Amino acid sequence: MIKLARRERGLQQMRLDTARTHFIPYRFGVGDADRQRHADLYALIGQIPDAARVVSAEWIVPQVSSRAYTYALRDSVFDAEYMLISYDARADELVNIRDALGSGTFGVVEERGLYVLAKRGYPGDNNAAVLAKLKDP
């Protein structure tokens, strides 16, 4: 009875344009902010050569998965030439992001909105600024 009451209360609090998934609330529809995030991400993806190896945040992997070599940041940076990160990175991704940028292995090429493109061997002049913006979840 208590479980049912909690479930009903939870359903009453949900908006009609939102569904609860395992990880996050999913909002149906596309707004101006969504369009801007998409444009920001694809502007960075467009700078990566087609044959380049890419490591990225879990939520970005599907956007670059047509490449021959695409890796998830939760595992490692492996032999990736480019790294695509999001400022809302997960804890298991932050370890590898901080290591790659902090050591200077990767350098920040460009930052757009929530996303950052870094390249292996690129000068790390902007790394400290990006590292300062990363927050623990």
Side-chain angles (χ1 to χ4, degrees):
M1 193 70 146
I2 293 173
K3 278 185 174 180
L4 183 58
R6 285 183 185 159
R7 183 174 183 275
E8 287 177 9
R9 186 174 52 240
L11 290 174
Q12 290 169 356
Q13 293 172 352
M14 288 184 80
R15 297 174 39 167
L16 294 177
D17 63 349
T18 306
R20 182 76 183 152
T21 65
H22 182 69
F23 300 106
I24 59 171
Y26 180 83
R27 184 181 41 79
F28 294 94
V30 176
D32 291 339
D34 300 314
R35 286 183 194 87
Q36 185 60 54
R37 277 192 303 276
H38 181 272
D40 290 343
L41 178 59
Y42 276 86
L44 296 178
I45 291 172
Q47 296 180 48
I48 303 172
D50 291 339
R53 297 167 187 246
V54 180
V55 63
S56 61
E58 192 78 21
W59 303 106
I60 301 172
V61 169
Q63 311 310 314
V64 293
S65 64
S66 63
R67 297 167 181 277
Y69 297 95
T70 306
Y71 311 112
L73 270 166
R74 66 180 151 77
D75 298 322
S76 177
V77 295
F78 299 103
D79 60 347
E81 301 161 76
Y82 288 85
M83 180 170 59
L84 268 170
I85 65 173
S86 173
Y87 280 119
D88 59 0
R90 299 178 343 196
D92 56 351
E93 297 168 337
L94 283 172
V95 172
N96 292 317
I97 293 168
R98 288 181 174 138
D99 182 51
L101 294 179
S103 68
T105 303
F106 282 78
V108 172
V109 174
E110 187 176 347
E111 176 184 1
R112 281 192 179 232
L114 293 175
Y115 305 106
V116 177
L117 175 64
K119 182 178 180 182
R120 186 181 291 273
Y122 196 82
D125 302 340
N126 299 316
N127 289 11
V130 168
L131 286 166
K133 292 180 186 179
L134 290 170
K135 295 181 175 49
D136 290 321

